[in-house]
Amino acid sequence: MTPTSVTPENVMARFHRAKMQRSSWESLWRDCYAYSLPSRDDAPFAATSSPSPAFSNSTSLGRERLFDGTAPDAVDQLAASLLAELTPPWARWFGFAPGREIPEQLHSDLVPKLERAAEIMQQHFDRSNFAVEIHQCFLDLVVSGTACLSFEETTPGQMSAFRFAAVPLWDVVLEEGKDGRLDSAYR
């Protein structure tokens, strides 16, 4: 799609096509949440989707029908492991380095500046709500296979320059681009 063809009508048409494609997954996602993250089984998927065959004898599957805690425990443990391994709140989990485009003779001057920038950024991550929201994203990732994190700038003068929000799967519609990668998100 060329930039000149971006109109409200085209965007809405793309959104509706993506939402129709997502609808085939909704009952499966609802079942996954019901079994493995029952605290989220009241998700809007349950209200907007017809019951899947597995639940045809019941109007809802909630904690009262959950007999085994293996799946919820496994989801929680895997999400906690992802948090600890990928984005540990007690350690800096990213860094900055000069790119290939930067001439080698400038690296020695840039490295300390980039290191200081990474320290400042980590301090903002540490003072933000990142750890809580990324953990929620990891829970969604484990249960549904995908997750969405909103990353916004706060107003000047706040403790952190960043504000995060785990966007529930039912609030986002993802669209694949021409290369088959998810490159658009509608909310």
Side-chain angles (χ1 to χ4, degrees):
M1 182 174 293
T2 63
T4 58
S5 67
V6 176
T7 65
E9 294 80 16
N10 289 345
V11 171
M12 289 303 295
R14 289 174 53 201
F15 164 74
H16 289 298
R17 274 193 305 275
K19 192 168 183 174
M20 286 299 296
Q21 287 179 328
R22 180 187 86 167
S23 68
S24 64
W25 289 94
E26 290 176 0
S27 64
L28 177 63
W29 285 333
R30 184 190 64 240
D31 294 352
C32 290
Y33 277 98
Y35 278 118
S36 59
L37 201 58
S39 61
R40 298 270 305 269
D41 73 341
D42 59 346
F45 287 142
T48 59
S49 304
S50 58
S52 68
F55 304 124
S56 60
N57 295 332
S58 168
T59 56
S60 73
L61 174 72
R63 291 182 201 122
E64 68 277 358
R65 296 250 345 250
L66 189 63
F67 301 112
D68 188 323
T70 304
D73 288 345
V75 166
D76 201 36
Q77 287 178 14
L78 181 53
S81 294
L82 289 170
L83 179 71
E85 292 294 324
L86 299 177
T87 59
W90 54 86
R92 192 167 77 194
W93 44 271
F94 64 88
F96 299 135
R100 290 188 298 260
E101 308 81 31
I102 305 298
E104 191 70 36
Q105 63 271 23
L106 297 177
H107 282 215
S108 62
D109 185 45
L110 284 176
V111 168
K113 293 174 183 171
L114 291 171
E115 179 65 25
R116 178 67 182 137
E119 288 173 10
I120 292 169
M121 183 169 257
Q122 182 67 50
Q123 290 169 1
H124 284 281
F125 271 83
D126 291 345
R127 291 189 306 253
S128 75
N129 63 338
F130 178 77
V132 171
E133 297 300 319
I134 196 67
H135 182 258
Q136 185 61 56
C137 281
F138 288 144
L139 289 169
D140 287 339
L141 180 66
V142 170
V143 173
S144 64
T146 193
C148 185
L149 180 69
S150 170
F151 180 16
E152 299 175 328
E153 184 179 10
T154 61
T155 57
Q158 299 292 318
M159 275 185 62
S160 172
F162 311 132
R163 177 181 36 248
F164 298 90
V167 180
L169 188 57
W170 49 86
D171 282 350
V172 66
V173 176
L174 304 171
E175 179 185 45
E176 287 183 3
K178 291 181 172 116
D179 62 356
R181 295 175 181 244
L182 295 175
D183 61 4
S184 296
Y186 301 95
R187 186 171 178 205

